Amino acid sequence: SGSREVRSSYCGVSISSLGRLFLGKRFIRQQCLIAPCVPCTKMAELHERLSVVITTSPIRSNPATMMIEELFESFKLCPGLAECPKVVVCDGCNVADKEKYRDGKVTEDQAAKYAAFCDALEKLAEEVWSRTTIVRMPERIGFAHAAYAGLQHVETELVTVVQHDLFFVREVDYTSLCDTLMQHSGKVNYITLPGPKHLTLQQDVLSKYGIRCEFTTEFGPRLLPVIYWFDKTHVCKTSWYKSFVYGGGSGV
């Protein structure tokens, strides 16, 4: 068929068959995997190893905090995650005559509502949420820069990045994922959690690039190699995130 197969072995030539991923201004060899949501099999002191960076920006429902409160509530589905240190990065916004939320453009009235929303988050961090830091950006910087700003407040060896509207709907064994990243550093550097777009990922990659990706349990959890960087909920080693993803030539 002319397709190339990504096998369960990730040593030597096998890993090179994953191809390359363009990120910012450079190509990086892809060593990223997608993990199905799996039930928790063991517990550890997750809060000593993992931090959560949450990015938020203006939305029409501001100043209401219901959506992000539901996100925090969904953390309880993942054993240990709610107790982890959390950093909420509030991206800035640009005042314009007409709103365009995806570009961070809002009217003066909406900017005031967003400021009130950020104030409300600070109050929640003080009175309700445990181990939560609120970081307010003075101007619009976008998701990539907001995530980078959040990383500057992370002191744990691992970090998971979550967008404000991506709730957990079932249990995820973060302890197992963290174990995999630490025990197989250099082979598994990034694990993204699956979403609707990932349902056809294997077929999409095969038809577009001729690369056959197969699930593997070689590293513990059942994982699927991917050749894209997904900005949806994912977990990485903090040092790798800073030095490799945001290193020289990344454009951030």
Side-chain angles (χ1 to χ4, degrees):
S1 62
S3 65
R4 290 172 287 163
E5 183 174 0
V6 178
R7 301 183 183 276
S8 60
S9 173
Y10 288 81
C11 302
V13 69
S14 297
I15 190 69
S16 66
S17 65
L18 290 175
R20 293 174 180 266
L21 167 71
F22 184 71
L23 180 63
K25 296 181 180 179
R26 62 178 176 171
F27 285 91
I28 61 176
R29 283 203 178 278
Q30 183 69 353
Q31 300 176 55
C32 307
L33 298 152
I34 180 171
C37 295
V38 294
C40 182
T41 55
K42 57 183 178 179
M43 269 297 297
E45 296 298 326
L46 189 65
H47 65 272
E48 297 179 354
R49 309 169 64 192
L50 179 73
S51 295
V52 186
V53 171
I54 303 108
T55 60
T56 189
S57 56
I59 55 176
R60 197 172 300 278
S61 63
N62 294 148
T65 59
M66 181 181 298
M67 185 175 75
I68 200 165
E69 287 187 76
E70 289 183 1
L71 172 65
F72 270 66
E73 187 67 20
S74 76
F75 290 166
K76 296 177 182 179
L77 289 173
C78 308
L81 189 62
E83 290 73 40
C84 291
K86 294 168 284 291
V87 181
V88 181
V89 182
C90 303
D91 199 359
C93 58
N94 299 319
V95 176
D97 294 332
K98 186 177 181 180
E99 77 275 1
K100 192 174 182 181
Y101 289 105
R102 289 183 64 86
D103 295 336
K105 295 180 180 179
V106 297
T107 64
E108 289 187 8
D109 178 63
Q110 291 161 339
K113 290 180 179 178
Y114 181 58
F117 165 78
C118 295
D119 291 341
L121 293 187
E122 291 180 338
K123 187 174 182 179
L124 284 168
E126 293 175 1
E127 301 177 359
V128 181
W129 296 332
S130 64
R131 307 186 70 184
T132 301
T133 301
I134 307 298
V135 179
R136 299 173 71 158
M137 307 310 300
E139 58 186 18
R140 167 75 173 182
I141 57 176
F143 171 79
H145 291 273
Y148 182 71
L151 286 176
Q152 308 315 304
H153 298 267
V154 171
E155 298 180 353
T156 53
E157 58 189 353
L158 296 160
V159 61
T160 185
V161 179
V162 185
Q163 297 182 35
H164 62 180
D165 57 349
L166 293 179
F167 310 139
F168 291 92
V169 296
R170 53 177 168 164
E171 186 176 316
V172 177
D173 184 0
Y174 262 97
T175 295
S176 178
L177 299 184
C178 290
D179 287 345
T180 296
L181 287 164
M182 295 306 298
Q183 294 170 8
H184 302 282
S185 179
K187 294 183 179 179
V188 182
N189 294 310
Y190 153 102
I191 301 175
T192 182
L193 301 186
K197 291 185 178 180
H198 299 136
L199 294 176
T200 60
L201 181 63
Q202 287 173 287
Q203 299 93 313
D204 294 342
V205 171
L206 179 61
S207 62
K208 190 171 184 179
Y209 302 106
I211 298 175
R212 188 181 301 277
C213 299
E214 301 293 347
F215 279 100
T216 178
T217 57
E218 179 180 349
F219 306 111
R222 186 169 179 260
L223 302 173
L224 176 70
V226 295
I227 65 170
Y228 307 112
W229 176 274
F230 293 98
D231 62 5
K232 306 304 181 185
T233 304
H234 55 275
V235 57
C236 300
K237 285 188 67 176
T238 305
S239 59
W240 183 80
Y241 217 142
K242 290 180 177 179
S243 64
F244 193 70
V245 179
Y246 288 119
S250 70
V252 178

